[in-house]
Amino acid sequence: MSDDAHGAYQVLARKYRPQDFSALIGQEAMVRVLRNAFEKDRIHHAYVLTGVRGIGKTTTARIIAKGLNCIGTDGTGGPTVEPCGVCEHCASIMESRHVDVIEMDAASNTGIDDVREVIEAAKYRPAMARYKVFIIDETHMLSKQAFNGLLKTLEEPPEHVKFLFATTEIRKMPVTVLSRCQRFDLRRIDPERLIEHLASICEAESVEIDTEALALIARAAEGSVRDSLSLLDQAIADGGKDAASVRTMLGLADRARVLDLFGLIMKGDAKAAIEELRDQHKSGADPEATLRDLAETTHWLSTLKISPDLANNPALGADTAARGAEMAGTLGMRVLARTWQMLLKALEELSRAPSAIMAAEMTIIRLCAVSDLPTPEELVKKLTDEQAGSAGSSGPAPTPGPGSAPQARLSVASSNAVAAPKPQGMAQTSVAPEQDLSHLPQSFEAVVALISEKKDGELLYDVETGLRLISYTPGRIEFQPATGAREDLSGRLLQALSKWTDHRWIVSVGDAPGGETISEMRSEQMHSLEQRVRKNPLVAAGLELFKDAELLVIPRKRMTSEELGDVPHGEDLDDDEDLFGED
Ligand SMILES: [Zn+2]
């Protein structure tokens, strides 16, 4: 595209508005359907274009109008998905001054009278073009009466008339109208695609700007090309060519500082976390954006845990990526899931808070408060240990027997009573006499705890999902690999354990069938725990009340049986609330 001939500055969104389908990025599916329809001469008489604002609905409608009426450079062409752009029809449609292409904004023309004009106009043949095209923007704003008026024309459309409806809220369109239209959902543009697009425009404009800065713009635009171009305009006007200045422009905190904050929260250091939040706020970060950033970080770390490839984010520098990988290794998936849930809830509630910064601070205090609570796995372990020991031994805290009221069983939701198993603490398996192996993990569980303690997230994941234990003695593991287990699992486990314990381990793959993997056991135990929690009358009542609620077992604090018995009259409603992961 050429420079503006008049020399005056033209906003990028206008200057780079697509003139044909090839320039319309990210909407290939729609273009394919249209191409087919045009080629087979089966052009529908009404199309409805839906999608978020700034996605290109009106632009698309104009391109379709051009395609319908283009006569080609030699004046003999028919309808085409590749309008020439230069014939009299193409030129005047793009400038919105074609007599037969009528654009109407339903947001300001909602009534039956406005529609009546359209219906009247539709009766007459086009003045000069092939088709009379009505482009109605924000169609959902039309009154019921107006829709009814339109319906008659849609039911028996004159051959020379085409309707193009654009709407951001397709649900508000009457079904009777929708059923007479072909619908196109315009997609949000992938960030990668948008970054590419922005980069090509920067090149055309001879503007140098960091990819990281473009990535931030693409992210903020949430898939809207127009918004991304407006932000790019603003960045260029501000002289912001690097990520730091774009961040300031967007009110975003530095990514590294978001990670700092996230780290402090995960450590449960509420004081330092609040100080960091306030400091970021002072330097221009919007509290809501910070909460969003924290949620995004949670999502990013979770995907990093699953696979480094999935967590590809062009907005990140190498340092940040390395720190993220380290964090992902140490944090459990359950903790991340819980954090995500709490952040989403906080964002939902933000509008009801007296101020955004207050809401953000309260969220951070809450997150810090639960950061040291046991995860459901630890709880389940505690529960099964208790069950196993319920015959004789008694725990450090009063635990209800198996016969007590269902509520009392909830007392497993304690934080202080659960400690991560220490390798040395458990003596379950016999120790070979000839050698002192007492410093080695005495059970396979203790091995898992050791891997977790050493923060080798990848190995932990592989062991938990890929290893079916056949036999364990300290220094020796025999297992059967689960389906999909990595081939190098035994080698890696051997090396890691030998290094950590300063002992030569033997890790072998055996022929005998092994037991369940840890992750299989865990999901069963979670299931049975959930079943038990569900039976709690209070929980059952809550689930009955909130039909769509999803049960999310999040331990908050230790409750005694008396407290639990009191719950219906208790004032600690906040705790109850968390038993039902309300939606
Ligand atoms: Zn043309």
Side-chain angles (χ1 to χ4, degrees), residues 243-324:
S245 40
V246 168
R247 246 184 221 113
T248 312
M249 178 186 99
L250 297 171
L252 297 174
D254 190 306
R255 174 59 54 153
R257 294 192 66 177
V258 172
L259 267 186
D260 288 344
L261 180 57
F262 195 85
L264 290 170
I265 292 170
M266 289 298 128
K267 268 195 258 165
D269 190 344
K271 184 166 176 285
I274 292 288
E275 277 167 8
E276 175 61 28
L277 173 76
R278 288 188 179 170
D279 214 39
Q280 291 185 14
H281 185 46
K282 251 183 247 155
S283 37
D286 171 46
E288 184 178 352
T290 305
L291 290 182
R292 279 186 196 289
D293 279 347
L294 288 173
E296 199 175 281
T297 304
T298 312
H299 166 261
W300 176 58
L301 294 177
S302 307
T303 45
L304 253 179
K305 267 190 99 63
I306 295 165
S307 158
D309 307 340
L310 288 178
N312 209 347
N313 186 339
L316 299 172
D319 287 0
T320 317
R323 281 182 68 194

Side-chain angles (χ1 to χ4, degrees), residues 259-548:
L259 267 186
D260 288 344
L261 180 57
F262 195 85
L264 290 170
I265 292 170
M266 289 298 128
K267 268 195 258 165
D269 190 344
K271 184 166 176 285
I274 292 288
E275 277 167 8
E276 175 61 28
L277 173 76
R278 288 188 179 170
D279 214 39
Q280 291 185 14
H281 185 46
K282 251 183 247 155
S283 37
D286 171 46
E288 184 178 352
T290 305
L291 290 182
R292 279 186 196 289
D293 279 347
L294 288 173
E296 199 175 281
T297 304
T298 312
H299 166 261
W300 176 58
L301 294 177
S302 307
T303 45
L304 253 179
K305 267 190 99 63
I306 295 165
S307 158
D309 307 340
L310 288 178
N312 209 347
N313 186 339
L316 299 172
D319 287 0
T320 317
R323 281 182 68 194
E326 199 194 327
M327 274 187 162
T330 56
L331 294 169
M333 199 53 105
R334 298 275 180 195
V335 172
L336 289 169
R338 179 169 71 193
T339 307
W340 170 259
Q341 187 87 10
M342 288 175 70
L343 283 167
L344 283 199
K345 202 171 164 192
L347 282 163
E348 265 169 37
E349 289 170 353
L350 198 76
S351 59
R352 301 207 297 270
S355 82
I357 184 71
M358 261 186 223
E361 287 187 5
M362 284 311 293
T363 307
I364 281 167
I365 291 167
R366 266 190 112 192
L367 283 167
C368 288
V370 301
S371 68
D372 60 343
L373 286 184
T375 60
E377 292 98 281
E378 290 169 317
L379 260 185
V380 168
K381 190 180 171 312
K382 165 79 179 156
L383 181 69
T384 42
D385 284 358
E386 267 177 15
Q387 273 178 331
S390 63
S393 68
S394 61
T399 20
S404 49
Q407 295 102 311
R409 289 188 185 153
L410 274 176
S411 68
V412 295
S414 66
S415 57
N416 49 359
V418 179
K422 290 276 182 300
Q424 290 85 358
M426 329 191 101
Q428 285 178 3
T429 335
S430 61
V431 176
E434 66 269 23
Q435 204 182 347
D436 180 20
L437 300 175
S438 61
H439 71 293
L440 297 180
Q442 298 297 303
S443 68
F444 182 64
E445 256 178 335
V447 169
V448 176
L450 178 64
I451 302 171
S452 167
E453 197 176 89
K454 294 290 181 185
K455 301 184 173 162
D456 190 338
E458 199 185 348
L459 183 61
L460 185 63
Y461 178 82
D462 289 342
V463 165
E464 286 183 348
T465 56
L467 189 146
R468 299 187 182 283
L469 190 66
I470 298 171
S471 69
Y472 180 85
T473 52
R476 189 185 285 265
I477 297 171
E478 190 183 10
F479 74 98
Q480 180 201 18
T483 318
R486 284 173 50 168
E487 273 180 22
D488 59 356
L489 177 55
S490 57
R492 281 162 53 227
L493 188 56
L494 181 142
Q495 276 186 359
L497 291 175
S498 301
K499 190 178 112 197
W500 294 331
T501 59
D502 203 19
H503 174 88
R504 180 100 196 122
W505 281 68
I506 296 168
V507 179
S508 58
V509 172
D511 291 331
E516 291 180 306
T517 65
I518 292 176
S519 69
E520 284 164 354
M521 280 188 255
R522 191 176 287 154
S523 62
E524 272 165 33
Q525 285 167 338
M526 249 335 270
H527 183 71
S528 85
L529 176 67
E530 193 191 307
Q531 292 309 312
R532 291 177 60 182
V533 172
R534 260 181 205 284
K535 283 187 196 142
N536 176 297
L538 184 65
V539 173
L543 286 171
E544 179 63 25
L545 196 60
F546 301 101
K547 294 278 187 211
D548 294 331

Side-chain angles (χ1 to χ4, degrees), residues 66 69-73 83-91:
K66 277 205 295 189
N69 284 327
C70 178
I71 51 170
T73 43
C84 69
V86 294
C87 72
E88 50 179 321
H89 301 294
C90 284

Side-chain angles (χ1 to χ4, degrees), residues 104-138:
M104 176 182 141
D105 183 8
S108 46
N109 303 280
T110 55
I112 178 70
D113 291 339
D114 303 303
V115 167
R116 210 166 267 143
E117 275 176 41
V118 170
I119 298 163
E120 277 306 304
K123 287 180 184 158
Y124 300 98
R125 297 199 59 80
M128 53 185 283
R130 200 175 290 129
Y131 295 107
K132 206 162 216 170
V133 183
F134 294 94
I135 298 176
I136 303 184
D137 231 345
E138 300 298 343

Side-chain angles (χ1 to χ4, degrees), residues 17-55:
R17 176 178 289 158
Q19 301 294 318
D20 53 35
F21 287 117
S22 65
L24 199 66
I25 63 166
Q27 313 297 351
E28 289 78 8
M30 176 188 72
V31 175
R32 208 175 312 122
V33 174
L34 276 175
R35 185 182 300 276
N36 247 324
F38 274 64
E39 275 167 9
K40 296 195 173 127
D41 199 19
R42 297 177 66 101
I43 306 169
H44 218 272
H45 63 270
Y47 290 101
V48 56
L49 305 162
T50 178
V52 294
R53 57 177 287 277
I55 202 88

